[in-house]
Amino acid sequence: MTLFLQIALDGILNGMLYAIVALGLTLIWGVMDVINFAHGEFLMIAMYVSYWLGFLMNIDPLVSWVASSVFVFLLAFVTYKLMVSHLVGKPALSALLATFGLSMFLKNLCLNRFSPNFKLLPVTVLSGKTIPVGSLILSLPQLVIAVFSLAVIFIVYRFIASTRMGWAIQATAMDKEAAELMGIDTEKIYGLVFGLGGACVGIAGGLLPTYMPVHPEVGSLFGLIAFICVAMGGFGSITGSLFASLLVGLVEAFAGFYIAPIFKYVAVFALYLVIVMLKPKGLFGW
Amino acid sequence: MADPILKVTDVCAGYGGVPVLHGISLEVCEGELVAIVGANGAGKTTTMRTIAGLMRPTRGSVEFYEEDVTGLPAHVMVKKGLTYVPEGRRLFQKLSVRENLELGAFTERNRDVIEERLARVYDLFPILKERSDQKAETMSGGEQQMLAIARGLMSAPKLILLDELSLGLQPSLVERVLRAVTEIRRFNVTVLMVEQRVLEALEIADRGYVIQSGRVVMSGPSGQLLNSEEVKRAYLGI
Ligand SMILES: Nc1ncnc2c1ncn2[C@@H]1O[C@H](COP(=O)(O)OP(=O)(O)OP(=O)(O)O)[C@@H](O)[C@H]1O
Ligand SMILES: [Mg+2]
């Protein structure tokens, strides 16, 4: 029983990590109908920022996540201005292919600059720390990310539901032209949302080096899983992708333990296939 | 005639390189109710969209209160006091009546001013007050059209553009909605409206423009247009 609970706990913690990564993706899709294929690479970039700030300047990820997040916000904002802004409203494939190109560029840039080697910060405040809860063991770095994830999702949700800017975002998502006729600068909203999506994944990437090594390929799998969470949850639904992320985390953990570690993603993708076949619009899709 | 507040000069526009407007010129003066009439596909909506800033003209100019506003985006035009109530209403269907109205006043930050405007549009369309918590999509066609007009008024425009208010409405509602147009003049707002229902539109308008294939083919006081042989033959079927 303890083992079962431990696996469930690990699954949930991992699911919360997926949730904050998926949040940015679902936000961008929900408002702009754009799939950001470079989302995983934004995570990777944030991890490098965090890693280098820790390695060169001894700034702990617990502090430097702010910088990672701001950095990726700016990266995403510039990506929007230079590239995506010309492609919104065009067939979804054009933005997808363009951001795919960007993901390749970022990956290869890091490969070239930082080598393919895994880099892990040797000591951080959180490294290796655990909290015993009864007979279970909570990994502190993972717990911290899970708490951040929950907090960020809550804040983003509240921001969209109850601020003036949030209303402008909602209106833009519902009908861009009608929003413009209300006096909303939808171009500004798009830039903000794309940046915000980057900032969310930037927070995750900023904290991850507390337990995960960074390398140029690290974002690929996260990007893919985030995409699955968003699609399974119902594109654009924040609660949907949170729910799907937890599901993915749990399935991954149980399949990895009870079947075989190499089988865990097979199980995740199988789950994805079954769900999109039964509910093509996702669990919370309309 | 007084100085026009809106002056459209020789505007050409189109979609994806296909020209639709071939040099439209028109003027609207303070306090007027002007109607643009014409058949399906004549370019009435395109004219409105170009004035409202949803499209850029490929040639020509738009002046609003003697300022050149050619090519300014729609959200800027709203701040300048020109609001477009689009064809097909384009309400935020999943939001309530009240939320739609609040979004209409997006450019205004002062809560008291917004409440005051709300009271005024509720006064104009009492049905909206009764239904204020109802989702826009659950309203009838006529009610939705009133909501669209009210939402446009919430920005307190100096000039409001109304596009095809009668679209998809049964005759009794057409009358009700067009009566509403005459009533909104109480708001000291100037009205430029587009209608396919030539007779009804010209009956309430001060002046009219007849558009055909992207060109103004006739213009003048409504009475004069209603009596002209061409209009009678082409649009009124008399
Ligand atoms: N989005 C678009 N893309 C391409 N062509 C368009 C588009 N919208 C309108 N058109 C074309 O432009 C021409 C003028 O259309 P417009 O909508 O301005 O006419 P209208 O006078 O408003 O007609 P209606 O009375 O049917 O609303 C038509 O030939 C139409 O097919
Ligand atoms: Mg039209």
Side-chain angles (χ1 to χ4, degrees):
Chain A
M1 191 59 196
T2 303
L3 188 60
F4 181 87
L5 287 177
Q6 182 68 52
I7 294 166
L9 186 65
D10 291 343
I12 287 172
L13 289 182
N14 235 350
M16 288 309 295
L17 166 61
Y18 296 151
I20 189 174
V21 180
L23 175 67
L25 203 61
T26 203
L27 202 61
I28 292 169
W29 173 269
V31 177
M32 310 170 58
D33 287 357
V34 161
I35 292 169
N36 176 20
F37 216 92
H39 199 65
E41 278 58 47
F42 284 181
L43 179 89
M44 182 256 308
I45 296 287
M47 287 179 75
Y48 272 114
V49 172
S50 169
Y51 172 80
W52 287 116
L53 286 175
F55 186 79
L56 297 174
M57 302 166 77
N58 264 320
I59 305 176
D60 196 88
L62 264 184
V63 176
S64 72
W65 65 268
V66 180
S68 309
S69 176
V70 169
F71 188 88
V72 181
F73 175 90
L74 294 174
L75 175 67
F77 187 78
V78 170
T79 301
Y80 174 75
K81 284 289 168 199
L82 294 184
M83 195 164 87
V84 180
S85 65
H86 306 286
L87 303 170
V88 268
K90 304 256 159 56
L93 199 58
S94 31
L96 193 116
L97 289 177
T99 51
F100 175 70
L102 177 68
S103 79
M104 285 297 161
F105 171 75
L106 292 174
K107 231 187 279 190
N108 284 290
L109 185 73
C110 292
L111 202 59
N112 176 281
R113 296 286 88 202
F114 308 138
S115 87
N117 295 340
F118 283 42
K119 297 183 193 302
L120 182 64
L121 283 176
V123 249
T124 70
V125 173
L126 299 176
S127 292
K129 298 239 168 42
T130 55
I131 307 174
V133 180
S135 51
L136 303 180
I137 299 166
L138 259 174
S139 143
L140 193 59
Q142 280 186 290
L143 179 68
V144 166
I145 289 195
V147 170
F148 265 77
S149 169
L150 208 58
V152 169
I153 292 170
F154 180 75
I155 291 167
V156 166
Y157 198 90
R158 296 302 304 165
F159 171 70
I160 290 179
S162 55
T163 64
R164 186 179 129 89
M165 190 60 85
W167 275 92
I169 292 175
Q170 284 188 56
T172 306
M174 285 184 268
D175 186 336
K176 176 173 186 267
E177 233 174 56
E180 277 165 31
L181 294 174
M182 304 298 105
I184 294 167
D185 185 351
T186 57
E187 192 55 24
K188 196 170 96 186
I189 297 290
Y190 276 179
L192 178 82
V193 165
F194 213 82
L196 203 60
C200 293
V201 79
I203 293 175
L207 291 167
L208 267 179
T210 51
Y211 73 96
M212 191 177 286
V214 53
H215 57 100
E217 286 293 332
V218 72
S220 306
L221 183 68
F222 277 107
L224 194 58
I225 288 188
F227 177 82
I228 284 178
C229 295
V230 172
M232 258 168 47
F235 275 100
S237 161
I238 291 181
T239 33
S241 79
L242 169 61
F243 188 78
S245 300
L246 289 172
L247 198 61
V248 166
L250 286 169
V251 166
E252 181 190 320
F254 280 106
F257 186 83
Y258 286 107
I259 305 175
I262 53 163
F263 196 78
K264 60 184 186 181
Y265 295 117
V266 178
V268 168
F269 294 125
L271 171 76
Y272 168 68
L273 282 179
V274 170
I275 288 184
V276 289
M277 269 156 59
L278 295 178
K279 287 204 75 181
K281 299 211 160 170
L283 296 168
F284 287 64
W286 54 87
Chain B
M1 206 161 63
D3 282 344
I5 60 167
L6 177 74
K7 194 163 184 231
V8 176
T9 313
D10 197 24
V11 157
C12 298
Y15 299 92
V18 182
V20 170
L21 304 183
H22 307 278
I24 296 269
S25 296
L26 57 87
E27 292 180 355
V28 180
C29 296
E30 187 106 53
E32 270 192 312
L33 198 173
V34 176
I36 298 178
V37 298
N40 278 121
K44 305 182 296 291
T45 296
T46 309
T47 304
M48 297 291 242
R49 289 173 59 86
T50 310
I51 296 171
L54 289 173
M55 294 172 60
R56 283 172 159 274
T58 50
R59 211 181 77 196
S61 68
V62 181
E63 281 169 63
F64 187 52
Y65 281 95
E66 295 177 349
E67 183 192 356
D68 184 7
V69 294
T70 318
L72 288 184
H75 70 94
V76 176
M77 292 310 295
V78 175
K79 293 187 187 100
K80 291 191 180 293
L82 187 152
T83 295
Y84 173 45
V85 177
E87 188 175 65
R89 307 190 270 270
R90 305 285 285 270
L91 296 171
F92 299 106
Q93 297 287 351
K94 301 282 172 204
L95 300 183
S96 72
V97 168
R98 197 192 154 98
E99 288 165 337
N100 269 279
L101 293 173
E102 298 248 353
L103 275 169
F106 184 80
T107 50
E108 178 56 59
R109 284 158 185 270
N110 186 331
R111 200 63 240 173
D112 296 340
V113 176
I114 295 174
E115 290 298 333
E116 194 186 301
R117 288 184 194 169
L118 262 177
R120 274 167 65 184
V121 299
Y122 281 158
D123 183 44
L124 182 64
F125 301 117
I127 185 79
L128 297 182
K129 188 170 189 181
E130 283 167 39
R131 303 289 168 84
S132 66
D133 293 324
Q134 200 172 316
K135 275 190 186 174
E137 64 183 355
T138 64
M139 309 262 284
S140 77
E143 289 162 356
Q144 290 197 19
Q145 196 56 272
M146 289 176 211
L147 175 56
I149 298 173
R151 189 182 64 173
L153 290 172
M154 285 298 290
S155 63
K158 296 180 194 134
L159 172 65
I160 191 164
L161 310 185
L162 304 172
D163 195 342
E164 209 88 61
L165 296 178
S166 66
L167 196 74
L169 298 185
Q170 66 195 60
S172 62
L173 280 174
V174 172
E175 200 182 307
R176 171 71 190 91
V177 168
L178 290 182
R179 184 147 35 86
V181 174
T182 59
E183 285 165 12
I184 66 175
R185 299 176 87 176
R186 271 197 279 150
F187 283 70
N188 291 326
V189 51
T190 305
V191 181
L192 175 62
M193 65 185 282
V194 151
E195 262 303 328
Q196 256 189 69
R197 297 186 171 250
V198 178
L199 179 63
E200 288 89 338
L202 289 179
E203 267 173 357
I204 62 167
D206 301 318
R207 287 191 302 118
Y209 290 87
V210 182
I211 294 189
Q212 219 173 64
S213 320
R215 287 186 181 83
V216 175
V217 292
M218 225 187 300
S219 65
S222 303
Q224 193 180 319
L225 289 178
L226 279 171
N227 285 320
S228 86
E229 289 305 317
E230 292 99 314
V231 172
K232 278 185 183 166
R233 204 172 335 106
Y235 300 102
L236 304 178
I238 310 173

